[in-house]
């Protein structure tokens, strides 16, 4: 088995860290399209861009990602789509905390 010298190890480690960082940024950047109420998954989960359930909206759901205050944010339930922070769907679960 070939031993790895320190210089090669540092190059490989640095490349891996950069790759992981850029990969995460690229995945977040893919979620560009706003979710439409006509989307099949949205229909199946009764998604609405304006919640009618008191105290329950996408902004306080545990599945929503992104920064607080953004109107459209990525959601784990709807990959590569942005949901309205004021919206709601039947998969809604209150964010812990």
């Amino acid at each position: 088995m070939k031993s790895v010298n320190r210089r090669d190890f540092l190059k490989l480690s640095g490349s891996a860290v950069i790759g992981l960082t850029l990969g995460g940024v690229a995945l977040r950047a893919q979620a560009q399209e706003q979710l439409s109420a006509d989307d099949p998954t949205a229909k199946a989960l009764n998604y609405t861009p304006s919640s009618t359930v008191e105290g329950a909206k996408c902004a306080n759901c545990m599945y929503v990602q992104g920064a607080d205050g953004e109107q459209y944010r990525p959601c784990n339930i709807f990959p590569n789509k942005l949901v309205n922070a004021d919206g709601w769907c039947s998969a809604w679960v209150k964010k812990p905390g």
Side-chain angles (χ1 to χ4, degrees), residues 2 6 9 19 37 48 52 57 70 74 76-77 81 95:
K2 181 183 172 189
R6 182 176 176 200
F9 174 76
T48 178
T52 57
K57 55 185 179 178
E70 292 179 355
N76 290 332
I77 302 298
K81 303 285 183 177
K95 189 182 292 187

Side-chain angles (χ1 to χ4, degrees), residues 58-66 68 73-76 83 85 95:
C58 293
N60 63 4
C61 178
M62 70 179 286
Y63 296 116
V64 78
Q65 303 170 350
D68 288 339
R73 298 165 55 184
C75 177
N76 290 332
V83 296
K95 189 182 292 187

Side-chain angles (χ1 to χ4, degrees), residues 16-41:
V17 168
I18 290 170
L20 289 172
T21 303
L22 293 177
V25 170
L27 288 175
R28 283 191 298 266
Q30 285 182 356
Q32 296 293 329
E33 185 179 332
Q34 293 178 9
L35 180 64
S36 166
D38 295 331
D39 183 270
T41 306

Side-chain angles (χ1 to χ4, degrees), residues 46-58:
N46 299 317
Y47 171 78
T48 178
S50 181
S51 177
T52 57
V53 180
E54 188 175 331
K57 55 185 179 178
C58 293

